[in-house]
Amino acid sequence: MNMRFTIPAALIATSFSSVLPAFAQDNDTDVLFDLLMLPEIISIMREEGVSYGETIGQDLFAGPPTADWQAKVERIYDYDVMVGMVKEDFEISLSDVDLSPMIEFFGSDQGQMIIGLEVSAREALLDEAVEEASEEMAAVAIADEDPRMSLVQEFVQVNNLIETNVAGALNSNLAFYGGLVDGGAFGGALSEEDILTDVWSQEPEIRSNTTDWIHSFLFMAYQPLDDADLQGYIAFSETDAGGDINRAMFESFDRLFNGISRSLGRAAATEMTSQEL
């Protein structure tokens, strides 16, 4: 059960035509949260999650998913709860970090344009046909050794996006299994060792799918950018500020994804038990 965990790091470019004025320190994390368009990203993730819930129902249950199951999935992916949890962890993760370089970068016209491109691309990928076309386009670019894809690959490597996403997906899958066990889905038949073995066996497929999706997503998102813009983004990612925001973005979603996965596992266990009865 692989839930995408892709949260690219800070979004920045080489030149900035405007910079926001200084903000009160107490509001810095709120300002950065909004500049990164995290409320919009969470809204898209909610749509992805609800669709993922439908897939769980089709894969695990003897019959078609019930209206009760769909209602449970909708409650688990409560938008306000998701935003509140991510915002809380975002503030904690950045509590000892100087946010002014990030606010300066993301408050620029260029920074906002790049973030907007990423959000638009993620929203477009909700359409399976767009996702398929994006993956095909990326595969061709890799085969042709497209220079733009080389920059995307460098960006992915600098930000360690593959390893971090794979680890996040494995942890989410482990949490899902934990929820199934909590809900009595296996009647105590699965040991912790059994679960760990099964989850770890998924690693090669998760790594392959994650690699393909990240490259296709970023290749599509940054098509409108000049090479200099993407090179500037890579350069920012190598700074302390870039590393801090990259870390914070993943840490901010870690508790959310694991909690959602465990809740989905419990709900699925209840549904499976009721269908058996």
Side-chain angles (χ1 to χ4, degrees), residues 38-269:
L38 288 178
E40 290 85 349
I41 291 173
I42 292 169
S43 178
I44 295 169
M45 288 182 169
R46 182 186 181 280
E47 291 189 57
E48 293 172 345
V50 170
S51 176
Y52 176 69
E54 293 176 2
T55 301
I56 291 176
Q58 294 167 2
D59 290 347
L60 291 185
F61 306 149
T66 64
D68 183 55
W69 167 252
Q70 191 60 32
K72 289 178 181 178
V73 171
E74 294 276 352
R75 287 195 296 272
I76 289 171
Y77 284 98
D78 182 286
Y79 174 75
D80 291 334
V81 172
M82 292 173 70
V83 170
M85 186 177 294
V86 171
K87 196 167 190 178
E88 179 182 350
D89 288 345
F90 187 73
E91 292 175 350
I92 292 172
S93 184
L94 293 172
S95 59
D96 297 325
V97 175
D98 179 11
L99 303 186
S100 56
M102 304 172 198
I103 291 176
E104 180 179 339
F105 287 152
F106 301 144
S108 71
D109 290 345
Q110 189 77 340
Q112 286 294 283
M113 181 191 72
I114 297 175
I115 294 173
L117 288 173
E118 183 177 17
V119 172
S120 295
R122 182 118 189 191
E123 186 172 23
L125 290 177
L126 291 171
D127 185 325
E128 291 184 7
V130 174
E131 182 174 13
E132 183 177 341
S134 174
E135 290 176 353
E136 291 176 357
M137 183 172 62
V140 170
I142 291 173
D144 292 345
E145 299 183 352
D146 187 302
R148 170 50 61 89
M149 178 56 79
S150 295
L151 284 176
V152 168
Q153 291 171 326
E154 182 180 356
F155 169 78
V156 170
Q157 182 176 5
V158 165
N159 287 284
N160 198 31
L161 293 181
I162 302 301
E163 296 302 327
T164 314
N165 277 283
V166 169
L170 289 170
N171 286 335
S172 289
N173 290 358
L174 186 62
F176 183 83
Y177 262 115
L180 286 173
V181 172
D182 290 346
F186 304 112
L190 277 183
S191 67
E192 181 176 348
E193 182 178 355
D194 292 332
I195 293 172
L196 288 172
T197 298
D198 190 65
V199 169
W200 186 246
S201 73
Q202 301 167 22
E203 194 272 349
E205 182 180 4
I206 289 174
R207 180 175 296 275
S208 176
N209 291 341
T210 298
T211 301
D212 290 345
W213 190 85
I214 287 177
H215 286 105
S216 63
F217 164 56
L218 294 177
F219 187 71
M220 181 177 74
Y222 296 111
Q223 278 298 304
L225 295 179
D226 293 335
D227 285 349
D229 293 334
L230 189 49
Q231 288 165 343
Y233 184 5
I234 293 169
F236 175 80
S237 298
E238 294 175 322
T239 67
D240 289 342
D244 285 338
I245 193 62
N246 186 36
R247 170 188 54 77
M249 291 286 275
F250 279 100
E251 288 180 355
S252 299
F253 284 86
D254 187 58
R255 181 166 64 102
L256 173 69
F257 283 152
N258 288 337
I260 284 176
S261 293
R262 184 170 287 274
S263 295
L264 284 171
R266 290 195 192 99

